[in-house]
Amino acid sequence: MDQMKVLLVGGGGREHAIAWKLRQSPRLGKLYVAPGNAGTAQIAENVPVKATDVEGLLAFALKEGIEFTIVGQDDPLALGIVDAFQAKGLKIFGPTQAAAQIEASKVFSKRLMKESGVPTTLFNVYTDHASALEEVRRHFAAYSGLPTVIKASGLALGKGAYVCHTLAEAEQALDEIMVKKLHGGAGDQVVIEEYAGGQEVSIHAFCDGKSFELFPSAQDHKPALDGDKGPNTGGMGTIAPVPWFNASDAVSEQIVGPILAGLQEKGSPFIGLLYPGLKMPETGPMVLEFNARFGDPETQVYMRLLKTDLLDIFEACVEGRLHEINVEWNPGFAACIVMASGGYPSPDYKKGFPITGIDNAEILPGIIVFHAGTKQADGKLVTSGGRVLGVTGVGATLQEALDHAYHGVECIRFEGMQYRKDIGAKSLV
Ligand code: GLY
């Protein structure tokens, strides 16, 4: 069997989980991760090239004879890494720059949803502060009890969406995005949209430009604190599948199918991983946003449940023959608890603290610990980011998967560590 030399782009928990799953493929030869983390270094070779350095990654791939590249992060996709690799005849999993606009431009995405009849909230687009201010003042004068949502159109490290419950919050959001330019050019256009109630659900689909394959549903927990309180983070924990979610057919028929057809009509077929973030009001799924890559920490639970060879799936997507693959999932549930640095998501959290106990956690049944913000320093494993580890557990029931994951968490220590104690709790009742 021919083995492939593979490059994975990114350095978070998502990439450690993808690398872990790729390692199980008999077709995987040498695996490089750029830039990777201390977890990927244990199972692959880390390459000191930033995920946003498209030219550097291309030069590396050409020099090393990389046969297949997988892009984990959003920003290289928005920068056109897929187009750059394809122009040199290299195989790469991910959407082109044009198709990746579905995530990189909220304005593009909302307009495409409207054109394609995909259920989403009503919205308007603003480029000047005065008009945006007028809109939020009008909203709170008419509906003072109803939140409004303000989003910077471009990529903003997951921090560009503001759910505003009061006029003062909305004015502050507009000031940060449009006046202080906290998100730079990402805030040149602003989307102001209706607030949708209901729980959030994450959908993932492998796409080959013509057909798609839906994953089981997952649920992330974005607020930092128990009870969905506190500031929004990149995600503090996930479960999959979501036991009460029964809208997969609606998602295929009303969301994923029409949006892929819409992109194809625009001449930008989507090849890669499409991740719609949904709200689930009683009326049925509403799309909050589309992402053009795997979710983090959704990937950590998905990789624990995926049975089929991931490299086979990636290759089939890129070659437009996803229909040939029978994508299978293990029965049962998976849970991921994110262990984060004290102070995260505020940017001034401290790092460099030694981490202990991962080995003890991983000898427990059903536990795999995925690294995110970790590195080796002076022979020690230390914290190097906001989200540090994703402790995953699997089980026949959701409760069992959560129990396993939390037992793993109890083994691990680093100064200032924080984690949510109620991941999955909403779905246990
Ligand atoms: N789960 C949040 C994200 O990946 O954007």
Side-chain angles (χ1 to χ4, degrees):
M1 181 183 293
D2 285 346
Q3 289 194 316
M4 272 200 281
K5 241 184 189 185
V6 173
L7 170 65
L8 171 61
V9 178
R14 165 183 48 213
E15 286 75 25
H16 188 194
I18 292 173
W20 174 84
K21 183 64 193 168
L22 285 173
R23 266 273 149 250
Q24 294 164 21
S25 171
R27 298 179 53 239
L28 182 76
K30 180 111 190 176
L31 175 63
Y32 297 95
V33 188
N37 57 35
T40 60
Q42 292 168 3
I43 54 174
E45 184 174 326
N46 284 353
V47 182
V49 181
K50 281 191 191 151
T52 48
D53 180 0
V54 173
E55 277 183 25
L57 292 166
L58 182 57
F60 175 81
L62 291 170
K63 181 170 137 276
E64 289 299 328
I66 297 293
E67 293 163 283
F68 199 89
T69 299
I70 300 139
V71 189
Q73 259 173 248
D74 52 5
D75 27 17
L77 294 170
L79 290 169
I81 189 171
V82 171
D83 312 66
F85 273 53
Q86 284 176 347
K88 294 286 180 196
L90 297 178
K91 281 190 187 174
I92 181 163
F93 177 84
T96 58
Q97 190 173 35
Q101 283 185 91
I102 191 131
E103 174 168 10
S105 166
K106 303 289 172 266
V107 172
F108 174 89
S109 172
K110 288 294 280 192
R111 286 182 176 151
L112 183 63
M113 283 188 246
K114 194 171 164 190
E115 286 162 24
S116 310
V118 168
T120 189
T121 48
L122 294 175
F123 70 100
N124 279 309
V125 177
Y126 297 88
T127 49
D128 80 289
H129 182 237
S131 316
L133 209 52
E134 200 177 310
E135 164 59 18
V136 294
R137 287 183 177 150
R138 189 202 56 74
H139 169 88
F140 281 101
Y143 315 103
S144 64
L146 216 62
T148 192
V149 181
I150 302 179
K151 290 178 179 167
S153 178
L155 295 180
L157 302 169
K159 293 182 183 147
Y162 299 70
V163 178
C164 304
H165 296 266
T166 62
L167 177 59
E169 284 176 8
E171 286 179 348
Q172 188 180 336
L174 290 176
D175 187 56
E176 289 185 7
I177 301 171
M178 302 184 94
V179 180
K180 298 204 174 85
K181 291 275 176 195
L182 238 58
H183 312 295
D188 288 349
Q189 288 182 302
V190 164
V191 173
I192 301 184
E193 63 185 35
E194 281 182 318
Y195 174 79
Q199 290 200 41
E200 282 191 28
V201 173
S202 301
I203 300 297
H204 281 52
F206 288 119
C207 306
D208 72 355
K210 299 185 289 265
S211 62
F212 65 91
E213 182 71 36
L214 221 57
F215 290 33
S217 56
Q219 188 171 50
D220 191 6
H221 298 65
K222 295 207 180 89
L225 307 175
D226 285 3
D228 285 335
K229 303 259 169 32
N232 257 359
T233 68
M236 293 298 285
T238 36
I239 58 163
V242 181
W244 49 265
F245 184 81
N246 58 6
S248 293
D249 288 348
V251 165
S252 292
E253 288 157 22
Q254 297 167 20
I255 296 171
V256 179
I259 211 78
L260 292 176
L263 283 167
Q264 196 151 26
E265 268 169 39
K266 286 191 181 298
S268 310
F270 190 98
I271 296 169
L273 193 290
L274 186 71
Y275 155 20
L278 307 183
K279 267 286 178 84
M280 288 298 298
E282 277 170 14
T283 45
M286 297 282 275
V287 179
L288 280 184
E289 61 181 10
F290 278 103
N291 300 291
R293 39 84 198 170
F294 282 90
D296 187 344
E298 285 88 342
T299 308
Q300 290 84 322
V301 283
Y302 281 139
M303 293 303 106
R304 296 298 312 274
L305 293 176
L306 182 64
K307 195 167 167 191
T308 308
D309 186 314
L310 183 59
L311 193 51
D312 286 349
I313 304 175
F314 283 150
E315 214 183 7
C317 287
V318 169
E319 292 172 1
R321 47 174 190 81
L322 183 56
H323 61 277
E324 288 179 10
I325 303 276
N326 181 20
V327 179
E328 289 185 284
W329 300 89
N330 291 314
F333 292 81
C336 173
I337 315 301
V338 169
M339 300 186 73
S341 295
Y344 172 78
S346 160
D348 49 11
Y349 61 83
K350 294 202 171 62
K351 44 193 180 185
F353 297 117
I355 305 166
T356 58
I358 292 178
D359 289 350
N360 294 342
E362 287 193 320
I363 54 177
L364 295 174
I367 306 285
I368 300 285
V369 179
F370 293 120
H371 292 230
T374 65
K375 66 173 188 184
Q376 289 288 342
D378 301 327
K380 278 192 193 144
L381 181 69
V382 300
T383 64
S384 67
R387 291 188 292 174
V388 176
L389 300 169
V391 182
T392 63
V394 290
T397 62
L398 177 58
Q399 183 68 66
E400 197 175 293
L402 287 162
D403 288 347
H404 284 159
Y406 277 113
H407 285 149
V409 166
E410 283 159 19
C411 299
I412 297 171
R413 292 279 174 275
F414 54 87
E415 195 174 317
M417 68 185 204
Q418 55 159 330
Y419 62 91
R420 278 184 61 163
K421 319 281 184 304
D422 65 344
I423 299 302
K426 288 193 293 259
S427 292
L428 287 172
V429 285

